[in-house]
Amino acid sequence: MAAKEIHRCTWAGTDADYIRYHDEEWGVPMTDDRALFEKLVLEGFQAGLSWITILRKRENFRAAFHNFDAERISRYTARDVERLMKNEGIIRNRAKIEATISNAQAFLTLSKHAPFSQYLWGFLDGRPIVNEITSSKDIRTETDVSKRMSKALKADGFRFVGSTTLYAFMQSTGMVNDHLVTCFRYDQCAKLQKKLKIPGL
């Protein structure tokens, strides 16, 4: 008997790393503050590039940025910036590296008042958006929510957080389910989203 064909979102393509990311991570609701900070930083580094480029360098990023420990990153000095600029394993963009440091500082300031997850998910009132997309052509690149989130984060001192970057962030962290309805992950992620409970929301 032939194995049942697995239907995926078309963007997953045939690259093994991309398929693994699609099948295991993309669209899964994320609530851990450190993980959310990491994804926000990486989405910022992705601006102007393809996500597969970032994905293949992700472990290098984690090593270079001390596993995205915001407390530690917030104390980086000019020497750290130069260290990172010499690291061929990451994206050597000075503006993005410096933004990561200031973003860590902004993250810590926000975290004094409430968990970062509560802050971000608050833009959706703690309820993920489950779309019903039948074609990749219908997937949006930004929404009113991503625009509001972008405006708020910029006001709070974050950089490289445009509305398009933040919509990609929302998709990847499960704030939005943009898997095609024909994709085997659509129902799986929808169930995880339905069970989601954000403390304080």
Side-chain angles (χ1 to χ4, degrees):
M1 182 176 179
K4 185 178 180 180
E5 183 180 359
I6 295 177
H7 293 279
R8 294 183 173 90
C9 297
T10 53
W11 63 261
T14 58
D15 184 280
D17 291 331
Y18 238 2
I19 289 174
R20 189 179 305 109
Y21 177 69
H22 170 274
D23 290 2
E24 300 175 8
E25 295 185 50
W26 199 76
V28 174
M30 187 180 290
T31 58
D32 178 78
D33 283 6
R34 190 214 60 79
L36 285 166
F37 176 67
E38 173 185 322
K39 184 56 71 70
L40 188 66
V41 170
L42 292 179
E43 290 287 359
F45 269 98
Q46 186 269 337
L49 303 169
S50 65
W51 179 250
I52 192 63
T53 299
I54 302 299
L55 194 60
R56 288 173 177 159
K57 293 177 178 288
R58 183 163 59 172
E59 290 307 318
N60 295 334
F61 271 105
R62 286 170 174 167
F65 284 96
H66 296 96
N67 200 34
F68 291 96
D69 180 341
E71 184 70 46
R72 190 160 183 175
I73 294 172
S74 71
R75 298 194 301 270
Y76 279 6
T77 64
R79 181 177 294 181
D80 289 292
V81 173
E82 295 309 314
R83 166 180 64 83
L84 292 163
M85 285 296 294
K86 294 175 183 177
N87 190 331
E88 297 180 358
I90 66 171
I91 305 299
R92 293 180 290 177
N93 181 301
R94 187 177 296 274
K96 292 178 180 181
I97 290 170
E98 292 177 343
T100 300
I101 299 171
S102 59
N103 285 354
Q105 295 165 351
F107 169 88
L108 292 173
T109 298
L110 278 179
S111 298
K112 292 178 182 178
H113 307 289
F116 194 50
S117 58
Q118 188 180 108
Y119 172 87
L120 293 174
W121 282 94
F123 288 95
L124 293 85
D125 297 322
R127 294 188 294 272
I129 298 169
V130 180
N131 290 323
E132 296 182 354
I133 298 172
T134 58
S135 170
S136 57
K137 296 178 182 179
D138 297 326
I139 298 177
R140 301 178 65 179
T141 58
E142 63 178 358
T143 62
D144 288 341
V145 176
S146 74
K147 291 176 182 177
R148 285 193 290 107
M149 189 184 292
S150 171
K151 184 177 180 179
L153 283 169
K154 288 177 181 177
D156 284 321
F158 286 82
R159 295 157 59 193
F160 286 95
V161 287
S163 59
T164 300
T165 294
L166 283 177
Y167 191 66
F169 170 79
M170 290 170 64
Q171 291 172 310
S172 64
T173 59
M175 294 181 180
V176 177
N177 187 347
D178 269 353
H179 281 285
L180 300 180
V181 294
T182 52
C183 175
F184 84 101
R185 287 292 286 165
Y186 178 80
D187 287 336
Q188 294 177 1
C189 287
K191 289 178 181 178
L192 292 173
Q193 289 173 313
K194 189 174 183 179
K195 296 177 181 178
L196 182 69
K197 298 293 183 183
I198 305 294
L201 295 177

